Amino acid sequence: MALTLTLTGPRLALAATAAVLAIGAPTAYAALDSDDTRPAAAAAKAAPPRGEPFVETRLFFGTERPDGGPDVTDKQFMKFIDDEVTPGFSDGLTVQQGRGQWKDSNGKIERERSYELILLYPTAEAKKRDVLIEEIRSDYEKKFAQDSVGRLDDRARVDF
């Protein structure tokens, strides 16, 4: 199936402006942030890499129960962190409170109090830590009758 897009008049001007901004803005901002007179790419190459290669995993925990049971309390969540997460990530972790929303399987937008758990670990430990993280997700889903626990993984360079 082929997709044909025709841009004329104002749409063409808008598309051209967006393209110029998308290409030019990062370079312009990088140049403004630098005291160096060299192009931003050359300055970036000259900077030594910082930190060690790590994986950053963020888990997103909802607190409302789809079955209508009582919401997960702060005390219950922190006990879950102490019992289920800390043993496998004793070097450190971060918990943030938030407000989340998502579309459930019936198409309804659900809004709820939530938690974000941030884990950092060396890339060399990624396989071992993946097993622990999947156990955490599964245990939370079972213990608190949740449909899912969101997961986001990203590469990072970390310095402590």
Side-chain angles (χ1 to χ4, degrees):
M1 178 171 119
L3 175 65
T4 303
L5 180 63
T6 304
L7 299 176
T8 59
R11 288 188 178 142
L12 180 59
L14 183 59
T17 301
V20 168
L21 287 174
I23 295 168
T27 303
Y29 285 120
L32 287 174
D33 289 342
S34 175
D35 291 334
D36 197 338
T37 57
R38 295 176 292 166
K45 287 181 184 176
R50 298 280 181 226
E52 298 297 319
F54 270 61
V55 175
E56 175 184 12
T57 296
R58 293 173 181 253
L59 298 179
F60 303 94
F61 300 88
T63 58
E64 290 184 8
R65 299 179 198 232
D67 64 4
D71 291 359
V72 178
T73 66
D74 288 339
K75 186 175 180 178
Q76 288 172 316
F77 185 78
M78 291 314 298
K79 182 169 178 12
F80 178 83
I81 293 295
D82 291 344
D83 295 347
E84 304 291 332
V85 181
T86 300
F89 294 90
S90 59
D91 289 342
L93 54 88
T94 299
V95 174
Q96 300 183 111
Q97 290 190 21
R99 298 286 308 166
Q101 79 175 39
W102 64 293
K103 189 182 290 188
D104 70 13
S105 58
N106 296 318
K108 181 181 175 198
I109 299 292
E110 299 286 346
R111 292 180 176 91
E112 62 186 319
R113 187 173 49 82
S114 61
Y115 296 95
E116 177 183 20
L117 172 65
I118 303 169
L119 304 168
L120 296 169
Y121 46 94
T123 56
E125 298 177 13
K127 269 189 173 180
K128 178 178 87 171
R129 300 297 181 111
D130 179 70
V131 171
L132 296 174
I133 291 166
E134 288 305 302
E135 287 176 6
I136 291 166
R137 293 175 72 200
S138 177
D139 290 350
Y140 189 83
E141 290 167 5
K142 289 175 190 164
K143 183 174 184 87
F144 297 110
Q146 297 292 300
D147 287 336
S148 67
V149 171
R151 179 177 177 170
L152 176 130
D153 293 309
D154 203 1
R155 296 182 184 273
R157 295 200 63 86
V158 177
D159 237 345
F160 292 104

